[in-house]
Amino acid sequence: MSNPSGHNGQCYGQVPPDDLLVHELLQYAQERLPMKERLVRLQEKFGYHIKLAKLKALNAKFEIPSSTRMKSSALATTVGAEKIADDANLGNVSSKEIFSQATLAAAEERGRMVSALRYQAYPPGTENRDAVPTARGVNHEHYVDGHERLTSTALDMGPVGFGIYAIREKCSGLVMHVAVAPDVHKSTTIGHIYCDMVSLNGFIGRQLTAIHDNDTEEMYAVQAALRRTFSAELDETEWPPFAVIKSSHSISIRNLWPQWLKSGGHNCQSVMLQGKTNGLFDPLEELDVNLFQWLWPQVVQRELDHFKQYWNCHRVRKQKKKDMPSGTSPMDVYSVPESYGYEDIRVPVDVAVVEHLRGQIAESRKEAFRFVPDQFAAAAEEVYAVLGRPQLTLGSGWQVFAQMQAKLRSREEDH
């Protein structure tokens, strides 16, 4: 049969624009996906049907780094060096982490109602959960938990410190959201953290799972209201909107924290504790306490964002006895669950309704995330701008602290 187009070649389906394609190919490199899985992801996301030879040609054309070695670029070297410089314990730096951070930086450079339904009680029987991780699909269960290794009790540096809260998808292991917060035992704060995650993604999981604590009241109210508004057809006996488990059974979220500590958490704690001995921080000085609470949550959030990206893209070792997927990255399972025998069973929601529910939480988001008084925050922002808004990293944190401390003290003396 003749070629009606008059051109030789193949039809690849929908060819994505170069900028989107480059971003996606860099994402696959960061996840260290095998080539066959990359082909599946391109087909699923863009309807782009190509073969291995074409994929290799695209990788070469766009200079996509291989999964086994880093391209020798200035950008990769800079990011890798920054990771090492930020690490207070050099033995914690792994080549995998440096690879992930550098590839992420390259991608960034190249592309660029509580409702009328108030929380009342946990449904009967939800306390008894199987400790063995299983899931009925991607976005079936979202696990939540707080982390307290950076609180005032843990740091023992006076009144300074804060908590971390995370939301993790169970089937894939993907970290959906992780954030620093002044108090991770405060129901209103956790309610806002959950609204942040839902507003960002535009959907909820069918079930929210946590430990039976009073601090989850507002979050569960939002979850129940959204489930009953946007998935009323789901039988709540079969698909409960939330569940309570024992701490010892919360494997799917609790095993995340040791990985965070290994990746960056121990370093965060070690660097912050330098304030005990470096002569810069006095827990009896209000200015020092406020400046600590203004600066270090930003530094730690930056580290958490890097950890989230690293974790979601790292390749999990193959575990034959594990019921859920292994041997690939959380992002790959989450992106193409059909390849692993699962479906994405998320519940899409209207973000306007989420924000309406947020407005019914007893405390505003601004109040819930107030680390320092507003007046101090405004002064700190002014001084930070005068200094040229230097990057807040583990390596530079105390240096910026000292510079801002001097200027803030000078302002106090002038007044």
Side-chain angles (χ1 to χ4, degrees):
M1 181 177 180
S2 62
N3 183 351
S5 67
H7 299 284
N8 292 324
Q10 301 182 43
C11 177
Y12 297 118
Q14 184 66 41
V15 181
D18 282 358
D19 57 342
L20 294 181
L21 185 56
V22 169
H23 180 82
E24 198 71 14
L25 293 175
L26 283 167
Q27 175 73 23
Y28 301 160
Q30 188 180 8
E31 293 180 47
R32 305 171 71 86
L33 290 180
M35 290 296 190
K36 289 183 178 179
E37 293 180 24
R38 301 184 195 199
L39 294 172
V40 172
R41 288 274 286 274
L42 285 171
Q43 181 175 335
E44 290 287 336
K45 185 161 187 175
F46 299 112
Y48 190 34
H49 305 272
I50 59 174
K51 294 187 178 180
L52 183 57
K54 178 66 174 178
L55 177 57
K56 289 181 177 180
L58 290 171
N59 284 337
K61 174 184 176 181
F62 297 120
E63 298 181 355
I64 306 299
S66 70
S67 294
T68 56
R69 64 185 181 88
M70 182 77 73
K71 292 287 185 182
S72 55
S73 68
L75 178 61
T77 302
T78 299
V79 176
E82 179 184 326
K83 177 67 180 175
I84 294 173
D86 282 352
D87 200 305
N89 306 297
L90 292 181
N92 288 345
V93 180
S94 72
S95 58
K96 278 188 177 180
E97 288 179 78
I98 297 173
F99 174 88
S100 295
Q101 300 297 343
T103 309
L104 172 61
E108 290 173 345
E109 283 294 315
R110 294 190 180 204
R112 300 258 167 248
M113 256 168 116
V114 168
S115 64
L117 171 70
R118 296 295 299 178
Y119 173 85
Q120 295 176 6
Y122 295 91
T126 57
E127 295 85 356
N128 300 316
R129 295 294 308 277
D130 192 343
V132 178
T134 58
R136 298 166 68 179
V138 166
N139 290 311
H140 167 207
E141 283 188 78
H142 290 172
Y143 273 65
V144 299
D145 190 36
H147 181 67
E148 300 178 284
R149 290 294 288 268
L150 300 180
T151 62
S152 59
T153 301
L155 293 176
D156 192 24
M157 294 174 65
V160 297
F162 43 88
I164 299 171
Y165 209 80
I167 304 172
R168 188 181 186 193
E169 198 284 315
K170 184 178 181 181
C171 182
S172 65
L174 190 88
V175 178
M176 304 287 295
H177 192 75
V178 59
V180 295
D183 186 352
V184 292
H185 288 295
K186 196 173 182 181
S187 179
T188 52
T189 302
I190 294 173
H192 283 295
I193 291 173
Y194 187 59
C195 287
D196 287 347
M197 189 276 289
V198 179
S199 289
L200 182 64
N201 291 289
F203 63 85
I204 60 172
R206 293 197 179 188
Q207 179 175 305
L208 198 58
T209 302
I211 301 165
H212 190 169
D213 283 333
N214 293 331
D215 53 36
T216 56
E217 177 179 341
E218 298 283 359
M219 178 175 61
Y220 279 142
V222 173
Q223 167 73 2
L226 292 173
R227 265 288 310 268
R228 290 162 190 174
T229 301
F230 295 102
S231 60
E233 74 283 358
L234 293 177
D235 184 344
E236 291 193 10
T237 303
E238 181 183 0
W239 300 97
F242 48 81
V244 181
I245 58 175
K246 296 178 181 178
S247 176
S248 58
H249 288 184
S250 57
I251 298 170
S252 293
I253 185 69
R254 284 295 174 95
N255 69 4
L256 181 69
W257 299 127
Q259 301 301 326
W260 150 244
L261 289 171
K262 180 180 177 182
S263 174
H266 282 310
N267 286 331
C268 289
Q269 186 180 57
S270 296
V271 173
M272 291 164 67
L273 287 172
Q274 291 174 9
K276 288 185 174 183
T277 58
N278 61 14
L280 294 174
F281 174 76
D282 184 347
L284 300 180
E285 286 285 341
E286 183 180 11
L287 186 152
D288 290 5
V289 169
N290 283 335
L291 183 54
F292 187 104
Q293 291 295 93
W294 181 87
L295 186 149
W296 286 105
Q298 297 183 66
V299 174
V300 173
Q301 185 62 60
R302 175 180 179 270
E303 293 298 310
L304 288 169
D305 292 342
H306 288 173
F307 170 70
K308 175 186 171 183
Q309 183 69 20
Y310 160 72
W311 178 263
N312 288 345
C313 294
H314 90 293
R315 195 171 185 82
V316 179
R317 65 182 177 85
K318 186 69 177 177
Q319 301 172 63
K320 293 182 179 179
K321 295 182 179 181
K322 186 178 180 181
D323 288 339
M324 294 187 296
S326 62
T328 187
S329 69
M331 182 66 75
D332 192 48
V333 178
Y334 192 84
S335 299
V336 284
E338 298 83 3
S339 297
Y340 300 91
Y342 291 93
E343 291 182 42
D344 188 337
I345 55 176
R346 69 182 66 185
V347 177
V349 301
D350 186 335
V351 173
V353 176
V354 178
E355 293 306 314
H356 176 70
L357 290 170
R358 187 202 293 276
Q360 296 188 25
I361 295 176
E363 184 178 50
S364 71
R365 188 185 187 283
K366 181 179 179 180
E367 292 168 333
F369 281 89
R370 180 177 283 117
F371 287 90
V372 297
D374 290 346
Q375 185 175 357
F376 181 86
E381 286 289 348
E382 282 185 30
V383 167
Y384 185 56
V386 168
L387 292 174
R389 308 187 70 82
Q391 193 172 36
L392 297 175
T393 68
L394 284 177
S396 69
W398 283 114
Q399 180 182 356
V400 177
F401 183 97
Q403 294 170 345
M404 293 185 65
Q405 182 187 58
K407 289 192 175 295
L408 287 165
R409 282 180 177 166
S410 177
R411 285 167 60 107
E412 285 187 346
E413 292 169 1
D414 292 342
H415 289 80

